[in-house]
């Protein structure tokens, strides 16, 4: 399960760096407006997601009432994506009551099929976004799209404000008689980086949508811990883990762990140190302090019913009564190795004074919650590339870029601006001068 947002120019200028830091796993960006022109913030939103390593799809709110109109809408979206060199899923947004409901089931089903045929034929994935009310009112024949991903809206909390860190009530997940790929659960969401409301979404097809490298990044942490399987206090082999923990400076709160101390959190930290993941997994020897650090980083899930992923950090509270959501002090911690048929396998240090496996059911008694490291940032992280510095004596960033064989268009400059942390690029003189100065000194990061 991934948490994300869908956006358009209604959200204005977005600070994607803050959105990423808030824990956003993905975005869905409006492609073209009703006029057929690109969303006013499309270039900036694409560039921002790319710069921050946020996977994204696009959506098209359809108004077409004839095959010709729908075909033109589909062509506009495909042409836009091809112009930007983007390959992603296109979500066909079927929700406009004023224009679509009156068409009738058969006609609307045929129009969606027209869009599907063109988009898939052009080499893009196709999905349908719609509201639960559309399903209940049978606007179109859902059975004709049995193999099509479905993203369903249901605002069970009305229009009350929801924060991004809140976990929606899974019991309110929309039911359309088949599995769904996404749930838009509010249009009144608030997240750092966006002024005002934004739609919040959950995505359930995380295994197919995840960046390919992320699976390996997650598994690497598990592999680092697995090398210590069987280490124990009886023969002193556990000391090697504590030595790794103590080697990482500065030590958490200045405390050097003793060989006689509890060492479950130190095992997780040692695996992170070995993997090179201390930027996404806090180094700590205290379970409670580790939870606090995950929480401060916006990477804590306060929900013991959460279905974890490989590499997630699971915390336990042995005083859990099993009634309601556990919010007690965490006593123990481990690393999720696998999840199968509702059973979680965990590798833990200091389990019966050794490194051993534990199995526990999803939402099982004693689960306190989860730290969810930002593995996607490790999967997408790369050394920045810089544009060749230009000896340009004019004051035009467009001409300076063109002088070194680069695209000087506004769309490309918006992408460059986002990659260089210039938020809300509008092509102002101040913004262009800043970019020009970076280019002259060889410090302009390539988009």
């Amino acid at each position: 399960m991934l948490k994300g947002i869908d956006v358009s120019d209604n959200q204005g200028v977005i600070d994607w760096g803050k959105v990423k830091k808030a824990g956003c796993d993905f975005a869905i960006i409006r492609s073209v407006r009703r006029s057929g022109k690109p969303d006013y913030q499309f270039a900036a939103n694409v560039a921002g997601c790319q710069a921050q390593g946020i996977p994204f799809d696009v959506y098209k709110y359809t108004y077409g009432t004839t095959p010709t109109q729908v075909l033109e809408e589909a062509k506009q979206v495909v042409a836009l994506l091809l112009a930007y060199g983007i390959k992603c899923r296109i979500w066909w947004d079927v929700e406009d009551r004023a224009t679509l409901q009156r068409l009738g089931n058969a006609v609307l089903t045929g129009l969606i099929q027209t869009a599907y045929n063109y988009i898939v034929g052009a080499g893009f994935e196709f999905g349908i976004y719609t509201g639960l009310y559309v399903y209940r009112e049978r606007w179109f024949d859902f059975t004709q799209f049995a193999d099509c991903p479905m993203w369903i809206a249901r605002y069970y909390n009305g229009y009350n404000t929801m924060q991004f860190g809140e976990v929606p009530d899974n019991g309110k997940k929309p039911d359309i008689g088949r599995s769904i790929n996404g749930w838009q659960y509010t249009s009144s969401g608030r997240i750092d980086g966006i002024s005002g409301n934004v739609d919040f979404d959950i995505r359930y097809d995380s295994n197919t949508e995840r960046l390919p490298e992320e699976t390996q990044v997650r598994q690497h942490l598990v592999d680092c811990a697995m090398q210590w399987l069987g280490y124990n206090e009886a023969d002193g082999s556990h000391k090697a883990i504590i030595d790794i923990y103590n080697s990482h400076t500065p030590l958490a709160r200045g405390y050097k762990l003793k060989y006689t101390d509890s060492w479950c959190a130190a095992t997780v930290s040692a695996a992170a140190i070995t993997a090179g993941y201390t930027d996404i997994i806090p180094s700590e020897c205290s379970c409670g302090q580790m939870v606090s650090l995950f929480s401060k980083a916006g990477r804590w899930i306060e929900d013991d019913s959460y279905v974890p992923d490989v590499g997630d950090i699971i915390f336990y509270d042995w005083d859990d009564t099993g009634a309601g959501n556990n919010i007690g002090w965490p006593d123990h911690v481990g690393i999720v190795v696998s999840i199968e048929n509702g059973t979680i396998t965990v590798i833990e240090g200091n389990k019966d004074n050794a490194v051993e496996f534990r199995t526990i059911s999803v939402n099982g008694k004693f689960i306190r919650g989860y730290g969810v490291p930002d593995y996607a940032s490790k999967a997408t992280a790369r050394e920045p590339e810089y544009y060749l510095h230009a000896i340009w004596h004019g004051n035009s960033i467009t001409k300076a870029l063109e002088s070194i064989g680069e695209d000087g268009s506004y769309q490309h400059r918006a992408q460059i601006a986002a990659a260089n942390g210039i938020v809300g690029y509008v092509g102002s003189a101040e913004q262009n001068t800043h970019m020009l100065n970076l280019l002259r000194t060889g410090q302009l990061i390539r988009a």
Side-chain angles (χ1 to χ4, degrees):
M1 182 184 77
L2 303 175
K3 290 186 69 177
I5 58 177
D6 60 275
V7 299
S8 69
D9 51 39
N10 290 321
Q11 277 67 54
V13 176
I14 297 174
D15 186 333
W16 286 101
K18 290 183 178 180
V19 169
K20 173 73 172 180
K21 189 175 181 180
C24 182
D25 295 312
F26 69 90
I28 304 176
I29 300 170
R30 184 166 73 171
S31 55
V32 297
R33 299 170 61 85
R34 186 172 190 173
S35 65
K37 296 181 179 179
D39 181 275
Y40 297 143
Q41 291 295 322
F42 181 78
N45 287 338
V46 166
C49 285
Q50 291 174 335
Q52 297 299 326
I54 300 175
F56 65 90
D57 288 338
V58 302
Y59 74 91
K60 165 58 186 171
Y61 189 111
T62 179
Y63 296 95
T65 58
T66 68
T68 300
Q69 291 174 352
V70 168
L71 185 60
E72 181 60 27
E73 288 179 335
K75 287 181 176 179
Q76 290 165 352
V77 180
V78 169
L80 179 65
L81 296 185
L82 291 175
Y84 278 81
I86 296 169
K87 197 67 174 289
C88 66
R89 182 177 291 163
I90 299 171
W91 292 94
W92 204 248
D93 185 343
V94 183
E95 63 173 302
D96 194 75
R97 187 179 292 275
T99 60
L100 303 182
Q101 184 187 29
R102 60 183 174 81
L103 297 176
N105 184 291
V107 172
L108 185 54
T109 300
L111 294 178
I112 298 171
Q113 190 67 53
T114 296
Y116 172 89
N117 291 341
Y118 181 81
I119 288 170
V120 172
F124 291 86
E125 293 185 33
F126 181 90
I128 295 174
Y129 164 88
T130 194
L132 181 60
Y133 62 92
V134 172
Y135 170 76
R136 289 174 172 170
E137 296 171 16
R138 297 297 192 269
W139 287 20
F140 64 90
D141 187 352
F142 278 66
T143 65
Q144 295 300 308
F145 304 98
D147 297 325
C148 181
M150 291 284 175
W151 169 27
I152 306 297
R154 184 193 185 190
Y155 302 162
Y156 74 93
N157 198 32
Y159 294 96
N160 296 314
T161 298
M162 297 184 71
Q163 301 298 324
F164 193 72
E166 295 181 51
V167 178
D169 182 353
N170 195 57
K172 305 297 184 181
K173 178 181 174 181
D175 182 4
I176 61 169
R178 49 164 284 191
S179 63
I180 63 174
N181 298 70
W183 172 20
Q184 184 187 88
Y185 60 92
T186 184
S187 62
S188 303
R190 293 299 179 96
I191 186 172
D192 285 349
I194 296 178
S195 299
N197 290 338
V198 63
D199 298 337
F200 284 171
D201 304 276
I202 285 178
R203 200 152 188 172
Y204 300 101
D205 57 346
S206 58
N207 288 334
T208 58
E209 296 305 317
R210 176 184 300 156
L211 294 169
E213 299 88 349
E214 187 179 330
T215 299
Q216 285 72 42
V217 172
R218 288 174 172 272
Q219 187 61 44
H220 181 49
L221 180 76
V222 174
D223 292 343
C224 288
M226 290 283 285
Q227 66 181 315
W228 304 319
L229 188 63
Y231 281 30
N232 61 83
E233 293 183 11
D235 64 12
S237 53
H238 79 297
K239 294 177 182 179
I241 298 171
I242 295 175
D243 288 343
I244 293 172
Y245 173 79
N246 285 333
S247 71
H248 181 73
T249 56
L251 289 168
R253 295 167 289 112
Y255 180 74
K256 185 175 182 179
L257 201 65
K258 301 182 182 71
Y259 293 142
T260 54
D261 288 333
S262 296
W263 46 284
C264 58
T267 302
V268 173
S269 297
I273 293 166
T274 304
Y277 291 173
T278 54
D279 55 336
I280 62 172
I281 299 174
S283 179
E284 253 296 347
C285 58
S286 160
C287 294
Q289 294 294 334
M290 189 176 279
V291 167
S292 178
L293 290 170
F294 271 123
S295 182
K296 288 178 181 177
R299 307 300 300 185
W300 171 251
I301 293 184
E302 185 69 66
D303 179 8
D304 44 10
S305 67
Y306 164 72
V307 179
D309 208 338
V310 174
D312 284 348
I313 313 301
I314 181 172
F315 292 81
Y316 308 92
D317 172 16
W318 303 137
D319 294 324
D320 183 14
T321 64
N325 189 45
N326 180 12
I327 56 173
W329 182 260
D331 299 307
H332 193 62
V333 64
I335 301 170
V336 174
V337 173
S338 65
I339 308 92
E340 185 174 358
N341 298 325
T343 298
I344 309 166
T345 299
V346 187
I347 187 167
E348 301 169 6
N350 203 26
K351 180 182 182 294
D352 297 326
N353 302 321
V355 179
E356 295 182 351
F357 290 126
R358 181 191 307 274
T359 57
I360 189 169
S361 297
V362 172
N363 201 23
K365 185 179 179 182
F366 304 125
I367 295 177
R368 173 64 180 83
Y370 295 87
V372 286
D374 186 9
Y375 289 110
S377 67
K378 304 296 287 186
T380 59
R382 63 183 187 277
E383 290 296 318
E385 297 180 13
Y386 297 89
Y387 289 103
L388 180 68
H389 75 277
I391 307 301
W392 183 259
H393 300 291
N395 58 5
S396 170
I397 182 62
T398 298
K399 292 182 179 179
L401 287 168
E402 291 172 348
S403 75
I404 57 172
E406 301 290 345
D407 180 6
S409 69
Y410 174 80
Q411 290 179 343
H412 189 58
R413 282 184 281 122
Q415 294 175 328
I416 296 171
N420 285 271
I422 302 173
V423 178
Y425 181 76
V426 294
S428 70
E430 181 181 1
Q431 291 170 327
N432 287 338
T433 298
H434 180 46
M435 290 172 62
L436 186 59
N437 289 335
L438 291 174
L439 182 62
R440 282 172 170 156
T441 56
Q443 299 179 70
L444 188 66
I445 298 173
R446 183 179 293 276

